[in-house]
Amino acid sequence: MDLTPSPLARPFPALPVIDGVTLRVARAGYKAWNRSDLTYVELAAGCAVAGVFTKSACASSEVEMGRAQVEQGRARALIVNAGNSNAFTGYRGREAVEQIVAQVAEALDCPGDEVFVSSTGVIGVPLPKDKARAGVAAVLGAESCGWEDAASAIGTTDTFTKGAAAAAFIGDQRVELAGIIKGSGMIAPDMATMLGYVFTDAAVDPAFLQEMLSKANEATFSCITVDGDTSTSDTVLLFATGKAGNAPLTTWDDPGADAFYAALHDVCRELALLVVRDGEGAQKFIEIAVTGAADDASARRVGLAIANSPLVKTAIAGGDANWGRVVMAVGKAGEPADRDRLSIGFGGTWAARDGQPVADYDEAPVAAHLAGQDIRIEVDLGLGEGRATVWTCDLTHDYISINADYRS
Amino acid sequence: MDLTPSPLARPFPALPVIDGVTLRVARAGYKAWNRSDLTYVELAAGCAVAGVFTKSACASSEVEMGRAQVEQGRARALIVNAGNSNAFTGYRGREAVEQIVAQVAEALDCPGDEVFVSSTGVIGVPLPKDKARAGVAAVLGAESCGWEDAASAIGTTDTFTKGAAAAAFIGDQRVELAGIIKGSGMIAPDMATMLGYVFTDAAVDPAFLQEMLSKANEATFSCITVDGDTSTSDTVLLFATGKAGNAPLTTWDDPGADAFYAALHDVCRELALLVVRDGEGAQKFIEIAVTGAADDASARRVGLAIANSPLVKTAIAGGDANWGRVVMAVGKAGEPADRDRLSIGFGGTWAARDGQPVADYDEAPVAAHLAGQDIRIEVDLGLGEGRATVWTCDLTHDYISINADYRS
């Protein structure tokens, strides 16, 4: 596996300390590698939690348990295993997760359903219980570490570590948010699940925390795609320790709720875009802005149809302003569209308007835009007020090499 | 463009003469090439017609007109333009089609709605009316030709010409079917629309002809995919001249209706599979058999989710028995599935059964199967009686080269 950083990589940013969050990493040895692969996050008592999970019908035991655990709204610990996704492993996989939960819950003297577990890596191999037990024992006694160590330990085929931060005022109280994420395909189930974790010291009621995370997810993580292949393990968890001491947020009407949501949205968006920037084989970052759709949800589906089209993605890889392929992708999306109202542009230059090529279309500025690394495709459906922005990367020879030439 | 025949190519078969069908080709010069690119099929008066068309919301004028024309059930002529799809060209594109229809209708002294037109090639450039007018004049006066000439003239980036035949008895009367098709992506809108035409001398009522074509389409053309990108121009037309002299078929209860349908299905299936065999960059032909689904439609959607997964397709390209990626694709299909009842095999060997890896799984026969050219993936959902078979090809470096490295 080639771990040369993606040409679209970003350096790891400075992330704030979040009061009530302690990070530790250790080496369980889930694969034959010389690196930390087990991450433990200890959370202050009373920490609120919210989560969004893959919609896969074949989700892992970790996801199944996480979906149930998040209902009660509180978390004391997070364990992340890297190198083995433990997906499609039947009762043996389930037993491994239950063992980890019991071991951590005993150490913290907390209910088992407050211990969250994620796993990422090869599919179809039950997580080895002996390695997990020894690894958890080691990590419980490890020194605390910083964000970049944790972001690195949760990674698998990621070519760079990924984090993001934001802050907001709730009343007079400044609150901090810090997030880490891993992923380099929207999913490659034997190597590249997307796992994201956001931590804040804000005090937020769990039900409202879930409402905000679900809303932010719709506009960020749910608007990215690398290859259209949805993971069996995708998970985003949001932990709010409450240590900032603000008046707890419970509804959108609370002072500071909008500011906190904006900061949360920013962190989620940045984390999501970092995953696209590490998309397998990516050479170009592509933003697709859809306007004039019947509604926002329709705009998002049209955007994702474009973002998932191998013909659009290869055209961008080749620097080809092939707007005919964008027309094709709009047409196949299954959403309301009218050929004769459709307009398509690249980087601010319309190539086609109202169902026809622009008469005096000058391809020079478009070619210059497409020669760059950050590409923007504009699509106006001319029907209504619905809009959405989605993000993807191009489809290159390196994607084929990573996924075909490499024999797992 | 590399026109080396696909490694999966099949030689053009012997096709029968169909009484009431006359083929002619000419060179309109839609592109700067030295080959026939305009095909004209004259059909005996009273010929019945049925058609299925792309579901794209951005379909070409040809498709829009074809959808309307087929309603009245009769056809006297078919014109196919190669090198320019005339899609997304607004009123100018529409005018070009109307000109062709008028020119042919006048020559044949027939209603305009009995003249069918298809076009394939670059998108967004109105079909040049002067070239079309001269080309149609030339083809109306050309010598008649054979099936292979016509199959070649409708092609664009196809690497080999494609045809199929079958015969059936309706009562004591033998009837013949012959079909030709072009396409090397399910669609690449600037180069590779799928256009298919089937001709028979059988006498069949137009409404029943449509019913049979729609049914055959569901199990054949609608079950193939190269890249999941749906054309703005895909068209399949079925013409029945009635010259065989059989008692006209009007319902499924008529003697010979089942036999005729079986022959029609065989021709459609063979034509569809030939398109997969010319899939852009294809090195391996993949059949995906889904059983145990909630119903047949669900099985087909699961099969297509697998067939369209870039991770599954690259795994097959790499000879990798990566059944975890098949699990992923089943999970994302949005269809009823139960992880713990799911079984996956390759070429007759189960790799996973009932949600777990097979305990004594021997990868040797699977590896041998995947080293071959004809690959079979078996998926049993363990839920019901629904089943479907879909076909695709692998995703290779050549797909990227054809669609990214080549600047249109």
Side-chain angles (χ1 to χ4, degrees), chain A residues 55-61 64 88-92 123-124 187-191 227-232 280 309-312 314-315 317-325 327-328 330-332 335 337 339-340 342 352 355-357 363 367 395-397 399-401 403-408, chain B residues 55-61 64 88-92 123-124 187-191 227-232 280 309-312 314-315 317-325 327-328 330-332 335 337 339-340 342 352 355-357 363 367 395-397 399-401 403-408:
Chain A
K55 291 175 180 161
S56 172
C58 299
S60 67
S61 290
E64 283 188 338
F88 214 70
T89 53
Y91 70 93
R92 285 175 294 174
I123 206 170
I187 177 55
D190 60 350
M191 7 187 209
D227 49 21
D229 276 350
T230 305
S231 171
T232 51
E280 290 173 334
S309 160
L311 291 172
V312 172
T314 49
D320 181 3
N322 197 320
W323 54 267
R325 295 185 182 178
V327 173
M328 175 280 302
V330 172
K332 77 165 183 169
E335 293 297 316
R339 186 193 63 200
D340 296 333
L342 178 60
Q356 294 188 59
E363 199 176 305
L395 175 58
T396 69
H397 281 291
Y399 182 89
I400 307 292
S401 296
N403 289 301
D405 302 348
Y406 174 79
R407 181 82 162 79
S408 65
Chain B
K55 291 174 181 163
S56 173
C58 299
S60 66
S61 290
E64 284 187 338
F88 213 69
T89 53
Y91 71 92
R92 287 176 292 174
I123 206 170
I187 178 53
D190 60 349
M191 1 186 215
D227 49 21
D229 276 351
T230 305
S231 171
T232 52
E280 290 173 333
S309 161
L311 291 173
V312 171
T314 49
D320 181 1
N322 196 321
W323 55 266
R325 296 185 182 179
V327 172
M328 175 280 301
V330 171
K332 77 165 183 170
E335 293 297 318
R339 186 193 63 199
D340 296 333
L342 177 60
Q356 293 189 60
E363 201 175 305
L395 175 57
T396 69
H397 282 290
Y399 182 89
I400 307 291
S401 296
N403 289 301
D405 303 347
Y406 175 78
R407 182 82 162 78
S408 65

Side-chain angles (χ1 to χ4, degrees), chain A residues 117-134:
Chain A
V117 181
S118 301
S119 301
T120 175
V122 69
I123 206 170
V125 179
L127 194 74
K129 286 201 264 187
D130 53 344
K131 290 183 180 177
R133 184 181 299 278

